[in-house]
Amino acid sequence: MKKIFLLNFLLFSLFAFAQSDQLAQNYFDKGDFEKAKISYEELLKSQPSNWNYTLKLIDCYQQLEQYAQAEIIIKDRFEKHKQANFLVELGYNYQLQNDNATAKIYYEEALSRIKKNPTEVYGIASAFEKKSLVEYALKTYEMAIETEPNFNFNYQIGLLYGQLSNMEMMISTFLDEAFANPQNSIRIQNQLVRFMVDEGDANFNELLRKALIVRTQKNQDIFWNHYLSWFYVQQKEFEKAFIQEKAIYK
């Protein structure tokens, strides 16, 4: 009987906690940050090490321009866990207050951690990307590769170049990755199609066409004939695609 009572109690507690979690998220999504803040503060009392609740609470403080409270919780988490992504959070907290000089100090400190421990690249880059600090995210990946050459972030770097509207570098990085790791070719093509079709950018299409033709001419590997054929099919230039397929067959 006691076991049944305990089980029911645990189930009820889990249900109530899930409801509180959903309520906090609903407040946050609707922009009611005061109520969301209170909800996340309560949730953190029962799960003080929950990263999602911590970051959401920081977001609430910042949305409410309660930067001092945000700084307290960021520094507390950094002191306890020493994770560099909280240096990014701290820098961004200063950036929101238009103190860009101090923000840069913390961003650079986060980057410097990669030279000591390259595996921190994941948390640091993710933190920069979530804050739309694209150039810093790009620098994070580049620094990690420089420190640990076995790392491969070509796909992530290609996406960041796209966000920066640097189409030539995005195309070059994606094509390098597709050739080096053909297993990634499909998802790279999906990204390229987004710019070819969804964006409707004729200039992008021409840049991609030229890049593929140059690679076809410089490298006799039929990989590039396949890629050029794929490109022409996307453009509905089936005769040109057929020429590439004949070249592959020969």
Side-chain angles (χ1 to χ4, degrees), residues 50-51 54-55 58 70-71 73-93 106-107 110 113 120 123-124 127:
N50 188 300
W51 296 111
T54 300
L55 294 175
I58 292 169
E71 182 173 341
I73 193 170
I74 294 169
K75 285 185 173 178
D76 175 69
R77 293 301 187 271
F78 180 70
E79 287 300 316
K80 287 180 179 177
H81 305 286
K82 303 299 181 183
Q83 290 185 307
N85 60 301
F86 283 109
L87 291 171
V88 178
E89 294 290 340
L90 193 55
Y92 188 68
N93 200 57
Y106 284 108
Y107 293 155
R113 294 280 293 265
E120 288 210 70
I124 296 171

Side-chain angles (χ1 to χ4, degrees), residues 181-213:
N181 297 292
Q183 69 274 14
N184 292 332
S185 193
I186 297 298
R187 69 170 181 166
I188 287 172
Q189 287 176 344
N190 289 338
Q191 286 297 328
L192 294 173
V193 166
R194 185 170 69 84
F195 285 89
M196 292 162 64
V197 180
D198 294 349
E199 301 290 332
D201 190 339
N203 182 55
F204 175 82
N205 294 344
E206 183 61 16
L207 285 172
L208 179 56
R209 185 186 70 82
K210 287 181 178 178
L212 288 170
I213 288 175

Side-chain angles (χ1 to χ4, degrees), residues 48-240:
S49 60
N50 188 300
W51 296 111
N52 181 54
Y53 296 156
T54 300
L55 294 175
K56 282 292 175 65
L57 181 57
I58 292 169
D59 279 344
C60 289
Y61 285 141
Q62 290 171 340
Q63 291 288 345
L64 295 167
E65 299 184 5
Q66 297 174 358
Y67 302 117
Q69 291 91 324
E71 182 173 341
I72 289 170
I73 193 170
I74 294 169
K75 285 185 173 178
D76 175 69
R77 293 301 187 271
F78 180 70
E79 287 300 316
K80 287 180 179 177
H81 305 286
K82 303 299 181 183
Q83 290 185 307
N85 60 301
F86 283 109
L87 291 171
V88 178
E89 294 290 340
L90 193 55
Y92 188 68
N93 200 57
Y94 278 102
Q95 183 174 322
L96 291 174
Q97 300 172 72
N98 296 316
D99 187 349
N100 292 324
T102 304
K104 184 178 180 180
I105 290 171
Y106 284 108
Y107 293 155
E108 295 296 332
E109 186 179 345
L111 289 173
S112 70
R113 294 280 293 265
I114 294 173
K115 294 182 179 179
K116 299 176 183 177
N117 183 9
T119 60
E120 288 210 70
V121 60
Y122 302 100
I124 296 171
S126 176
F128 279 132
E129 288 185 61
K130 287 178 180 177
K131 306 301 182 187
S132 297
L133 297 166
V134 181
E135 291 185 354
Y136 274 107
L138 182 60
K139 191 183 295 186
T140 302
Y141 287 123
E142 291 173 341
M143 188 175 292
I145 293 170
E146 183 181 330
T147 307
E148 179 50 72
N150 290 327
F151 279 162
N152 178 8
F153 296 113
N154 282 342
Y155 182 76
Q156 292 89 334
I157 288 172
L159 291 176
L160 292 173
Y161 277 129
Q163 291 182 49
L164 291 170
S165 297
N166 189 336
M167 296 303 147
E168 290 188 24
M169 284 302 298
M170 184 188 81
I171 290 170
S172 177
T173 305
F174 274 154
L175 294 183
D176 285 345
E177 174 62 15
F179 186 71
N181 297 292
Q183 69 274 14
N184 292 332
S185 193
I186 297 298
R187 69 170 181 166
I188 287 172
Q189 287 176 344
N190 289 338
Q191 286 297 328
L192 294 173
V193 166
R194 185 170 69 84
F195 285 89
M196 292 162 64
V197 180
D198 294 349
E199 301 290 332
D201 190 339
N203 182 55
F204 175 82
N205 294 344
E206 183 61 16
L207 285 172
L208 179 56
R209 185 186 70 82
K210 287 181 178 178
L212 288 170
I213 288 175
V214 167
R215 287 168 187 256
T216 304
Q217 293 170 342
K218 287 185 176 180
N219 189 327
Q220 299 304 308
D221 196 304
I222 61 170
F223 177 88
W224 296 116
N225 298 98
H226 279 297
Y227 234 91
L228 193 54
S229 174
W230 165 84
F231 171 79
Y232 286 134
V233 169
Q234 306 310 308
Q235 299 297 298
K236 295 182 170 53
E237 297 182 73
F238 300 113
E239 288 186 10
K240 292 181 179 179

